Amino acid sequence: MSKYYIFDFDSTLTKVEALDVLAEITLANNPKKEEVINEIIKITNLGIDGDISFTQSLERRIKLLNAKRSDLNLLIQELKKRVSSSIERNKEFFESYSENIYVISAGFKEFIIPIVAEYNIPAERVFANTFEFSQDGEIIGFDRDNVLSVHNGKIACLQNLQLDGEIQVIGDGYSDYITKEAGVADKFFAYTENVQREKTIKNADYITPNLDEFLFINDLPRNISYPKNRIKMLLLENIHADAYEKFTNDGFTVETVGRSLSEEELIEKLQDVHVIGIRSKTQITKKVIENAPRLLAVGAFCIGTKQIDLDACKENGIVVFNAPYSNTRSVVELAIGEIIMLMRSVFQRSTEIHNGEWNKTAQGSKEVRGKKLGIVGYGNIGKQLSVLAEALGMDVYYYDVEDKLALGNATKMNSLADLLAISDVVTLHVDDNSLNRNYIGAKEISQMKDGAHLVNLSRGFVVDIPALTEALKSGKLAGAAVDVYPEEPRKNGDFYTDLKGLPNVILTPHVGGSTEEAQRDIADFVPGKIMAYINSGNTVDAVNFPNIRLPKQQNSHRFLHMHKNVSGVMANINKVVAEFGLNIVGQYLSTDPKVGYVITDVDKDYNQDVIQELKNVEGTLRFRVLY
Ligand SMILES: NC(=O)c1ccc[n+]([C@@H]2O[C@H](COP(=O)([O-])OP(=O)(O)OC[C@H]3O[C@@H](n4cnc5c(N)ncnc54)[C@H](O)[C@@H]3O)[C@@H](O)[C@H]2O)c1
Ligand SMILES: O=C(O)[C@H](O)COP(=O)(O)O
């Protein structure tokens, strides 16, 4: 049986209502422009929702528009720029199915025909109103004999067409969904790419957030193999709103949760999730990974990735990304601030005055200039801190397990003990490697100068808290600043640490990287990496997977094959490809000792059975097709 696809024009094929755009043009120099445009939009919506008769809505708008024939040229130019994105990228469908596509609109042929002509829809398959012009070219009305100029005109139009086959109507408003109710359409698709109208959605057989989804449901030729709206993302722990916006703007479906989830909660939530975004609290364990059937990628919207079982991800073909640089400056600035606050006992003085006590004293209050700063861990944060601390006049010393080049005048120390012995302030910036558990304990503290200060902005488990508490109580250490704790709560609320109430101890709730700048930057960086992977297979900057930067896909289908790095897999993949006679236009491979990632670009025409055969290759972890 033939199928006919009946498209609405305004807000479906185009992002906008054409008469609203015409109003923008004709009222450009009118001082009451905003007022009139709002009135026109109000009338348009009343008509679309069926709250006033369509003829009434048309009459009222045309009067307010005050447009001329010459304005239509500008309108057409404008509308060409505002064709719906997913319509634009699926020209192939319109070209191959032209005979089955009709545009039925309560808009006007004068601007619809030139727009849809570019999509291979000829004028004879466009059903719409026509304007009436005065002798000097003013739009003064419309052809009232046209069925589309009256209420429920689309029903009459479809009846007159007498199409023999299944009729699918795609549109965004009342006049579209009513065709199904009237029995002249078999299916109604609510098109929500540009507007989401409650009533339209309620009356739909399917909701299609874009044309990709419509084409997917109908198994029609399309530009994207799998509609992005079907790819679900879950963002936890208050990830900056920019990330939500980036993903949704690209068409993905995104859910956000303001806190971290437990293992059980994660497993329940992840059943239909393709990408999860977390920060430092959420534990992505092996059990979570093994119970997340659709998971393709994990985004750590922070630096640390120890909360993620990277090996389990790798073994399941799940790619992990993080943001290694975005929040480093924020940590450094906090460290500098805390070092100064500690050495001046500012928090003690502040607490006293909050408690009603005036204690003006210089005792125990020192400048940082000329003092020795010991940086443990000379990585991205340690190095930046080194430069800033020197600018303040501090003598910088550092210790790192790796060979790290000294920046500025910093002095490299050969052992932790030597660094601890020389420093007035010791600041910890080691990575979240579990070997660093209790790295600074009673022994290390005893190696520090009497009256020194300790700052920990790295990970809570790096410092033995009972030992630190004891050293602060005994006066061995003059003060400490702690931002991270061995156990941190999943959400804001009650919290206890033994360090509570000790004088000259600055306690912050893991906010070293929590600045607007850092969070915004992370929300730009990580989604960029994730989308590059989901949309084109790139694994550049992945933390657990072979990194590969792929060339742009050119008129080809892309097979992404992740497999165990065991002998014979590549040979078997290429054997399958050869058996199916596929023409390879590009092939790229990257491996690490455990996994291989091979990307094969093939000509567009191929036997679909090859996909199952490639999935069956022994050692396959995951297989995706992109086009
Ligand atoms: N408080 C926060 O909000 C916050 C924000 C960002 C980063 N962090 C944490 O800060 C730490 C540093 O981050 P980074 O981006 O600079 O990491 P990085 O990986 O760039 O640098 C860490 C450095 O520590 C060194 N190192 C590791 N173990 C060591 C040891 N036992 N002794 C001496 N050196 C050792 C490494 O060789 C490396 O040079 C990480 O633990 C990170 O998770 C905390
Ligand atoms: O790993 C990090 O980047 C820091 O610990 C910050 O983590 P957060 O995003 O959970 O604050």
Side-chain angles (χ1 to χ4, degrees):
M1 185 171 56
S2 313
K3 283 188 183 172
Y4 293 96
Y5 309 112
I6 316 296
F7 281 87
D8 175 37
F9 182 76
D10 295 85
S11 298
T12 294
L13 289 178
T14 58
K15 294 175 181 163
V16 285
E17 291 291 312
L19 292 190
D20 295 347
V21 181
L22 186 57
E24 295 270 356
I25 295 166
T26 60
L27 298 165
N29 300 318
N30 186 327
K32 289 195 171 163
K33 181 182 161 194
E34 289 308 313
E35 219 174 287
V36 182
I37 287 181
N38 285 339
E39 183 61 16
I40 289 175
I41 291 173
K42 204 172 101 196
I43 300 169
T44 308
N45 285 328
L46 287 173
I48 289 170
D49 282 338
D51 294 332
I52 56 170
S53 90
F54 180 71
T55 322
Q56 231 179 330
S57 134
L58 209 51
E59 271 167 359
R60 283 168 59 183
R61 281 181 290 159
I62 284 180
K63 203 178 253 167
L64 286 167
L65 274 169
N66 203 12
K68 296 186 200 58
R69 194 192 291 275
S70 54
D71 295 322
L72 293 176
N73 292 332
L74 273 178
L75 173 65
I76 290 162
Q77 276 173 36
E78 206 44 51
L79 290 179
K80 280 188 183 167
K81 289 186 233 152
R82 306 217 211 162
V83 171
S84 302
S85 313
S86 69
I87 302 287
E88 244 181 344
R89 68 171 166 261
N90 282 296
K91 267 195 168 164
E92 194 189 330
F93 159 68
F94 290 98
E95 266 151 33
S96 350
Y97 280 77
S98 172
E99 309 260 301
N100 305 61
I101 297 170
Y102 287 73
V103 176
I104 301 185
S105 165
F108 289 81
K109 283 187 178 181
E110 283 84 353
F111 53 78
I112 297 177
I113 289 173
I115 304 295
V116 302
E118 295 194 358
Y119 291 78
N120 213 22
I121 306 172
E124 65 264 25
R125 283 201 289 279
V126 175
F127 294 84
N129 286 300
T130 47
F131 286 121
E132 264 177 20
F133 298 92
S134 70
Q135 280 196 333
D136 42 2
E138 276 161 4
I139 297 177
I140 48 169
F142 50 90
D143 171 12
R144 282 165 192 270
D145 295 335
N146 189 327
V147 286
L148 287 161
S149 71
V150 295
H151 193 54
N152 288 344
K154 287 191 184 179
I155 299 173
C157 181
L158 266 170
Q159 270 164 343
N160 295 344
L161 272 173
Q162 297 196 334
L163 298 173
D164 183 18
E166 182 179 305
I167 295 176
Q168 301 194 355
V169 171
I170 305 104
D172 59 277
Y174 164 85
S175 64
D176 305 303
Y177 68 72
I178 201 71
T179 56
K180 165 82 191 295
E181 219 171 289
V184 293
D186 297 292
K187 286 180 186 157
F188 171 65
F189 291 79
Y191 196 81
T192 58
E193 182 166 0
N194 307 304
V195 282
Q196 293 94 39
R197 299 180 207 279
E198 218 178 289
K199 282 191 195 167
T200 311
I201 289 168
K202 244 181 30 217
N203 284 285
D205 295 300
Y206 299 94
I207 300 159
T208 64
N210 44 52
L211 191 68
D212 310 313
E213 174 72 11
F214 171 79
L215 299 175
F216 182 81
I217 294 172
N218 282 293
D219 198 16
L220 290 163
R222 57 193 180 274
N223 179 265
I224 292 180
S225 40
Y226 193 68
K228 289 194 196 171
N229 53 284
R230 289 188 170 235
I231 298 184
K232 289 202 178 157
M233 310 205 160
L234 175 65
L235 302 181
L236 307 181
E237 299 188 54
N238 263 332
I239 286 170
H240 193 281
D242 282 7
Y244 174 90
E245 225 170 285
K246 269 199 156 241
F247 285 132
T248 47
N249 284 347
D250 202 34
F252 296 103
T253 300
V254 189
E255 183 187 345
T256 57
V257 176
R259 61 183 177 94
S260 152
L261 298 180
S262 67
E263 191 171 66
E264 297 70 50
E265 287 173 314
L266 275 172
I267 290 173
E268 199 189 319
K269 274 259 179 218
L270 288 183
Q271 289 315 299
D272 60 350
V273 166
H274 299 84
V275 175
I276 182 165
I278 58 165
R279 289 175 63 183
S280 61
K281 296 294 165 298
T282 308
Q283 303 296 313
I284 306 288
T285 60
K286 192 174 167 74
K287 189 168 165 197
V288 169
I289 295 299
E290 285 172 350
N291 287 285
R294 294 178 184 221
L295 201 62
L296 295 173
V298 178
F301 283 67
C302 55
I303 292 178
T305 53
K306 264 286 160 303
Q307 69 281 31
I308 305 162
D309 189 327
L310 295 177
D311 284 338
C313 284
K314 184 191 287 220
E315 281 155 20
N316 287 277
I318 295 166
V319 184
V320 180
F321 298 95
N322 73 339
Y325 312 112
S326 306
N327 64 19
T328 53
R329 171 72 190 208
S330 300
V331 177
V332 169
E333 287 191 12
L334 185 60
I336 291 280
E338 289 186 334
I339 290 164
I340 296 174
M341 297 298 119
L342 282 176
M343 294 194 65
R344 292 293 291 269
S345 303
V346 169
F347 276 60
Q348 263 165 302
R349 297 293 86 80
S350 171
T351 308
E352 286 158 2
I353 221 160
H354 274 291
N355 291 333
E357 187 188 348
W358 183 268
N359 183 19
K360 180 173 165 132
T361 172
Q363 206 181 359
S365 185
K366 297 182 177 118
E367 289 185 354
V368 296
R369 179 173 47 167
K371 302 297 179 305
K372 293 185 170 60
L373 174 66
I375 300 175
V376 186
Y378 208 57
N380 292 321
I381 293 174
K383 275 192 226 160
Q384 272 191 68
L385 177 58
S386 171
V387 174
L388 261 73
E390 269 194 0
L392 284 171
M394 298 190 85
D395 286 341
V396 176
Y397 295 79
Y398 70 91
Y399 170 68
D400 198 295
V401 280
E402 304 284 338
D403 262 339
K404 297 279 167 145
L405 181 74
L407 295 186
N409 297 316
T411 308
K412 180 178 162 186
M413 304 301 280
N414 288 326
S415 73
L416 177 66
D418 288 349
L419 183 93
L420 296 174
I422 203 172
S423 306
D424 297 304
V425 186
V426 172
T427 184
L428 307 175
H429 302 286
V430 295
D431 56 45
D432 59 359
N433 180 341
S434 53
L435 292 174
N436 286 331
R437 186 166 295 281
N438 290 333
Y439 186 46
I440 304 295
K443 180 175 142 225
E444 289 70 27
I445 292 173
S446 73
Q447 291 166 345
M448 290 172 69
K449 277 186 179 175
D450 289 344
H453 295 89
L454 181 70
V455 175
N456 184 17
L457 287 149
S458 62
R459 281 292 177 260
F461 61 73
V462 175
V463 175
D464 177 0
I465 296 292
L468 174 62
T469 312
E470 182 47 41
L472 288 161
K473 281 183 178 164
S474 70
K476 163 72 186 169
L477 295 184
V482 175
D483 185 46
V484 284
Y485 305 83
E487 301 291 333
E488 295 179 5
R490 246 190 239 120
K491 58 179 194 303
N492 288 346
D494 294 343
F495 180 65
Y496 177 79
T497 165
D498 285 344
L499 296 166
K500 185 180 153 188
L502 294 178
N504 209 19
V505 175
I506 303 173
L507 301 177
T508 45
H510 200 149
V511 290
S514 293
T515 60
E516 287 175 14
E517 292 85 349
Q519 295 307 313
R520 211 177 296 122
D521 202 70
I522 292 171
D524 180 52
F525 187 89
V526 181
K529 300 291 166 193
I530 291 175
M531 290 193 290
Y533 171 58
I534 300 288
N535 295 339
S536 49
N538 276 298
T539 50
V540 178
D541 290 335
V543 288
N544 70 330
F545 233 80
N547 280 208
I548 194 158
R549 186 185 302 277
L550 298 163
K552 210 168 178 290
Q553 226 170 312
Q554 303 274 5
N555 209 24
S556 63
H557 283 195
R558 179 165 280 180
F559 295 162
L560 309 177
H561 193 280
M562 293 171 164
H563 52 266
K564 290 183 191 155
N565 190 359
V566 289
S567 61
V569 180
M570 267 312 284
N572 286 335
I573 290 172
N574 283 333
K575 195 168 143 223
V576 172
V577 170
E579 273 167 13
F580 277 81
L582 299 191
N583 182 30
I584 298 180
V585 293
Q587 193 169 53
Y588 319 91
L589 171 70
S590 185
T591 58
D592 72 10
K594 282 196 176 160
V595 295
Y597 180 32
V598 61
I599 298 93
T600 311
D601 287 351
V602 297
D603 265 358
K604 278 197 143 186
D605 293 322
Y606 60 89
N607 179 346
Q608 299 282 316
D609 294 346
V610 71
I611 293 173
Q612 196 49 50
E613 285 301 313
L614 285 169
K615 284 183 181 169
N616 291 346
V617 168
E618 210 179 318
T620 300
L621 296 172
R622 203 169 275 264
F623 179 81
R624 281 199 299 146
V625 183
L626 295 179
Y627 59 88

